[in-house]
């Protein structure tokens, strides 16, 4: 009879989560309930970066006030997913390339109309319009903005 | 009892090789849409000579590779060439992203160099060509790097397929040699000189030419036994690999390439800094020794470590590369740099499965330039020390003499001339891409 062949020649290691509670001899064996939570910490990456290899962080220029109505202030840091750039939808906040420069704008797409809109009512920057045949390169979609107040 | 045969007896092995086109130049272009359509060149450390260029630069500047920068500067500027100092930090970060994206497409990947990754495709019931195009598009959309993918029944064939994908426009960047007919494959091979085969260097090419073997097909059809008698076991293996027999498994590689790498999967997972230090030290010495044997000098050091994509834990792969102030093959200097990188990328809590050291942009002895601080004297001393070290290690067993690589200083702030360096977009809060 043939010897059984293992299912996997190269089994992966299975990591088993553990809790770092200490059990001391001679003391109560009941660990504090708080110990169950010791290993859990909030990880900002988990919240902000859903697709790590495609995520880039970009800084808003200190003299750029065209998007302040949506909370994108000068000097803010933007968390941008580049992979979403090719499938950007109307109303997404995008990083686009206009005349070789990076701009952050709201994308507006309807029928054949493609525009990049600013979000600053006070200054009313005119929309950037793309006519038929003009190519608009969307570099990425802004997913989050980080503004520091201190 | 349920008997399961091993994978390779059921499925024919298939390998893929994904490779970034003009890696360094493409990394620079990914953050600079304003330079689209311009020739791009990247310089070695201290802005000495051209070490990389994009396709356009290759065409308009003809062969400027490895030429001193000051010699070509005027001509390059006239043509509107954009010049960059090498930004190894950025290239390593992009390389890491590239491999991470590919890990979605196969449970088994192997980073072969900073811009090449092998994928095991065995047993995947997909149309390889479609799959390759999906990978290509994913990498382009996610990080802006153009890649080519080749598929074949052996690593050597995958590498050959990759070459076709890159150089022959009809493949559109993805070449699957497993799907072409035997006659078509023969035609493809007949058109390629033997020098295009992985592991056949210029010296071996001449020797093969001398016995009338000029194209790949000729070598494929050669008698393996006679090839072994004349050219050795390595070339015999290449013949077998060209015939679709697997002699190089994942992790096996040929001692070739402009990058010299030493890496290995750990027998037991490594999760402590001390163990990792030892491993990196070992790989640094191995890589440096290999360089000395070939009389080559490295311009950059690249260190990487990863757990396995099989793990239930998150796939974690980190790497960093830095340029050296002057080309070197000294174990001491390469190890010092590797340890400094290790300190910056090691993450506690990760059960690492593999780590390695890669030496980048190697140049022969004549081609190196010393840096402006008069490194030379120290280098000569270090050279004689190294040759003694190699002699002892060759005479007795390897590892008779090794480095006590404990107590490495903080990352040395290497002062280097890098006048055209792009910002470290992905690694420094002060150098982020700016938008307005």
């Amino acid at each position: 009879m043939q010897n059984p062949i293992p299912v996997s020649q190269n089994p992966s290691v299975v990591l088993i989560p553990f809790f770092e509670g200490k059990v001391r001899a001679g003391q109560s064996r009941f660990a504090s309930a708080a110990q169950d939570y010791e290993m859990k910490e909030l990880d900002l990456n988990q919240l902000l970066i859903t697709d790590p290899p495609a995520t880039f962080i970009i800084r808003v220029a200190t003299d750029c006030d065209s998007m302040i109505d949506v909370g994108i202030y000068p000097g803010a840091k933007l968390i941008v997913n580049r992979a979403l750039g090719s499938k950007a939808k109307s109303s997404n906040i995008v990083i686009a390339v206009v005349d070789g420069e990076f701009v952050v704008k709201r994308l507006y797409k309807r029928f054949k109309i493609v525009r990049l809109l600013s979000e600053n009512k006070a200054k009313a920057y005119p929309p950037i319009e793309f006519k038929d045949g003009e190519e608009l390169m969307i570099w990425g979609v802004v997913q989050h903005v980080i503004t520091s107040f201190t | 009892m349920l008997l399961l045969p091993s994978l390779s007896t059921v499925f024919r092995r298939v390998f893929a090789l994904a490779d970034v086109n003009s890696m360094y130049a493409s990394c620079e272009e990914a953050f600079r849409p304003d330079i689209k359509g311009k020739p791009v060149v990247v310089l070695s450390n201290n802005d000495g000579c051209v070490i990389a260029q994009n396709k356009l630069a290759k065409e308009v500047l003809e062969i400027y590779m490895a030429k001193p920068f000051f010699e070509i500067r005027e001509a390059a500027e006239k043509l509107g060439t954009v010049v960059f100092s090498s930004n190894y930090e950025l290239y390593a970060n992009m390389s890491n992203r590239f491999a991470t994206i590919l890990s979605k497409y196969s449970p088994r990947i192997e980073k072969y160099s900073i811009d090449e990754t092998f994928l095991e495709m065995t047993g995947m019931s997909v149309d390889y060509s479609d799959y390759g195009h999906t990978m290509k598009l994913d990498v382009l959309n996610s990080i802006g790097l153009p890649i080519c993918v080749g598929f074949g029944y052996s690593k050597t064939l995958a590498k050959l397929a990759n070459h076709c994908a890159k150089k022959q426009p009809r493949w559109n960047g993805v070449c699957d040699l497993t799907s072409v007919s035997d006659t078509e494959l023969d035609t493809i091979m007949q058109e390629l000189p033997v020098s295009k085969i992985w592991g056949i260097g210029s010296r071996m090419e001449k020797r093969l030419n001398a016995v009338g073997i000029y194209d790949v097909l000729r070598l494929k059809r050669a008698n393996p036994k006679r090839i072994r008698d004349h050219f050795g076991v390595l070339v015999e293996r290449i013949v077998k690999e060209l015939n679709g027999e697997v002699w190089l498994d994942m992790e096996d590689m040929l001692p070739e390439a402009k990058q010299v790498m030493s890496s290995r999967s750990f027998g037991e997972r490594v999760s402590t800094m001390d163990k990792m230090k030892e491993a990196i030290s070992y790989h640094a010495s191995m890589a440096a020794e290999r360089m000395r044997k070939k009389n080559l000098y490295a311009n950059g050091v690249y260190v990487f470590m990863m757990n396995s994509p099989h793990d239930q834990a998150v796939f974690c792969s980190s790497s960093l590369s830095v340029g050296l102030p002057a080309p070197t093959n000294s174990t001491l200097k390469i190890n010092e740099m590797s340890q400094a990188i290790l300190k910056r990328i090691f993450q506690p809590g990760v059960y690492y499965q593999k780590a390695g050291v890669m030496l980048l942009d190697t140049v022969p002895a004549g081609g190196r330039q010393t840096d402006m601080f008069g490194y030379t004297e120290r280098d000569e001393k270090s050279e004689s020390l190294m040759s003694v070290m190699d002699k002892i290690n060759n005479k007795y067993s390897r590892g008779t003499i090794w480095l006590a690589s404990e107590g490495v200083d903080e990352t040395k702030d290497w002062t280097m001339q890098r006048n055209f360096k792009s910002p470290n977009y992905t690694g420094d809060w002060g150098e982020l891409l700016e938008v307005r």
Side-chain angles (χ1 to χ4, degrees), chain A residues 82 96-102 137 139, chain B residues 28-37 433:
Chain A
R82 188 163 180 172
V97 179
V98 178
D99 298 328
E101 286 214 19
F102 287 106
M137 186 202 165
W139 196 88
Chain B
E28 300 289 354
E29 289 173 290
F31 295 90
R32 293 284 303 275
D34 59 308
I35 62 171
K36 204 178 169 189
L433 200 68

Side-chain angles (χ1 to χ4, degrees), chain B residues 332-362:
Chain B
L332 298 169
K333 281 189 195 122
I334 287 165
N335 187 51
E336 185 177 86
M337 202 46 120
S338 307
Q339 297 293 337
I341 299 174
L342 160 66
K343 274 196 171 177
R344 282 183 53 187
I345 64 173
F346 183 83
Q347 296 178 56
V350 177
Y351 288 76
Y352 288 104
Q353 185 232 358
K354 191 179 177 184
V357 172
M358 201 188 291
L359 302 178
L360 306 173
D361 304 317
T362 57

Side-chain angles (χ1 to χ4, degrees), chain B residues 309-324:
Chain B
H310 293 295
D311 287 357
Q312 296 204 332
V314 192
F315 178 57
C316 183
S317 147
S318 43
S319 61
L320 184 70
S321 65
V322 289
L324 291 156

Side-chain angles (χ1 to χ4, degrees), chain B residues 139-392:
Chain B
V139 174
L140 184 68
N141 283 340
S142 300
I143 54 175
L145 298 182
I147 68 166
C148 284
V149 192
F151 296 88
Y153 287 124
S154 65
K155 278 176 125 179
T156 303
L157 285 169
K159 184 105 178 166
L160 203 66
N162 187 282
H163 172 85
C164 295
K166 185 162 287 179
K167 303 287 176 187
Q168 302 171 357
R170 66 176 169 131
W171 298 104
N172 194 18
V174 178
C175 171
D176 172 16
L177 287 183
T178 68
S179 71
V180 300
S181 68
D182 288 351
T183 38
E184 203 180 335
L185 185 60
D186 286 355
T187 317
I188 292 167
M189 288 182 161
Q190 203 162 15
E191 286 163 4
L192 295 171
V194 282
S195 60
K196 300 299 175 200
I197 302 170
W198 192 26
I200 302 284
S202 57
R203 206 174 300 170
M204 185 55 74
E205 181 189 16
K206 275 185 203 130
R207 289 178 58 196
L208 288 167
N209 287 172
V211 298
I213 299 175
Y214 290 95
D215 60 75
V216 178
L217 184 63
R218 207 44 211 282
L219 186 62
K220 179 193 173 183
R221 293 199 173 148
N223 180 333
K225 220 178 153 296
R226 286 172 68 182
I227 288 288
R228 184 179 56 199
D229 294 343
H230 274 82
F231 304 102
V233 68
L234 266 173
V235 185
E236 181 200 14
R237 277 185 194 169
I238 288 172
V239 173
K240 290 181 170 174
E241 284 245 319
L242 286 173
N243 282 287
E245 284 178 43
V246 176
W247 284 84
L248 296 165
D249 208 327
M250 294 299 273
E251 307 269 320
D252 293 340
M253 52 181 90
L254 289 170
E256 167 263 349
K258 48 192 187 289
Q259 295 118 339
V260 170
M261 165 130 114
S262 172
S263 80
R264 194 186 284 171
S265 294
F266 299 125
E268 240 171 72
R269 297 299 176 111
V270 167
S271 64
T272 67
M273 186 68 158
D274 283 352
K275 281 266 177 257
M276 190 58 98
K277 269 187 187 166
E278 279 172 29
I280 294 299
S281 177
Y282 170 80
H283 289 307
S285 332
M286 286 295 287
E289 194 181 319
R290 226 173 275 166
M291 297 285 285
R292 291 196 293 277
K293 250 184 214 153
K294 296 179 171 183
N295 206 16
L296 289 172
Y297 296 78
N299 278 294
V301 179
Y302 174 91
V303 176
F304 73 94
M305 52 196 67
M306 56 174 78
N307 63 1
S308 161
H310 293 295
D311 287 357
Q312 296 204 332
V314 192
F315 178 57
C316 183
S317 147
S318 43
S319 61
L320 184 70
S321 65
V322 289
L324 291 156
T328 184
N329 59 16
S330 148
T331 299
L332 298 169
K333 281 189 195 122
I334 287 165
N335 187 51
E336 185 177 86
M337 202 46 120
S338 307
Q339 297 293 337
I341 299 174
L342 160 66
K343 274 196 171 177
R344 282 183 53 187
I345 64 173
F346 183 83
Q347 296 178 56
V350 177
Y351 288 76
Y352 288 104
Q353 185 232 358
K354 191 179 177 184
V357 172
M358 201 188 291
L359 302 178
L360 306 173
D361 304 317
T362 57
V363 290
R368 76 200 174 109
Q369 355 114 19
T370 48
D371 70 24
M372 49 190 182
F373 308 111
Y375 226 30
T376 359
E377 202 190 329
R378 267 171 62 203
D379 243 28
E380 271 159 22
K381 264 189 213 156
S382 147
E383 249 162 52
S384 50
L385 171 63
M386 288 304 123
S387 79
V388 170
M389 204 165 135
D390 288 349
K391 267 183 207 149
I392 295 175

Side-chain angles (χ1 to χ4, degrees), chain B residues 395-412:
Chain B
K395 189 162 176 189
Y396 305 98
S397 60
R398 170 174 315 288
T400 306
I401 291 189
W402 69 94
L403 299 173
S405 34
E406 249 65 48
V408 181
D409 305 0
E410 287 302 299
T411 310
K412 285 231 169 61

Side-chain angles (χ1 to χ4, degrees), chain A residues 1-7 9-15 18 51-64 66 77-78 82-84 86 95-97 99-105 135 137 139 146, chain B residues 1-7 29-34 36 93-94 96-98 100-101 104 108 138 140-145 269 307-308 310-313 349 351 353 425-426 429-436:
Chain A
M1 168 143 176
Q2 232 182 315
N3 285 328
I5 297 161
V7 177
Q9 304 280 354
N10 183 14
S12 58
V13 167
V14 178
L15 300 177
F18 65 98
D51 184 2
T55 302
F56 294 88
I57 299 178
I58 298 183
R59 184 181 53 233
V60 180
T62 47
D63 59 350
C64 167
S66 66
K77 290 174 182 74
L78 306 173
R82 188 163 180 172
L84 296 178
S86 54
I95 301 295
V97 179
D99 298 328
E101 286 214 19
F102 287 106
V103 295
V104 52
K105 293 281 176 259
E135 202 199 347
M137 186 202 165
W139 196 88
I146 304 171
Chain B
M1 190 193 295
L2 182 65
L3 294 179
L4 288 171
S6 71
L7 205 62
E29 289 173 290
F31 295 90
R32 293 284 303 275
D34 59 308
K36 204 178 169 189
N93 179 285
M94 295 297 272
N96 212 28
R97 288 169 187 258
F98 166 61
T100 308
I101 294 166
K104 288 192 273 184
R108 222 174 157 197
D138 193 359
L140 184 68
N141 283 340
S142 300
I143 54 175
L145 298 182
R269 297 299 176 111
N307 63 1
S308 161
H310 293 295
D311 287 357
Q312 296 204 332
Y351 288 76
Q353 185 232 358
Y425 305 107
T426 55
W429 287 109
E431 298 184 20
L432 299 177
L433 200 68
E434 202 173 74
V435 71
R436 56 180 64 243

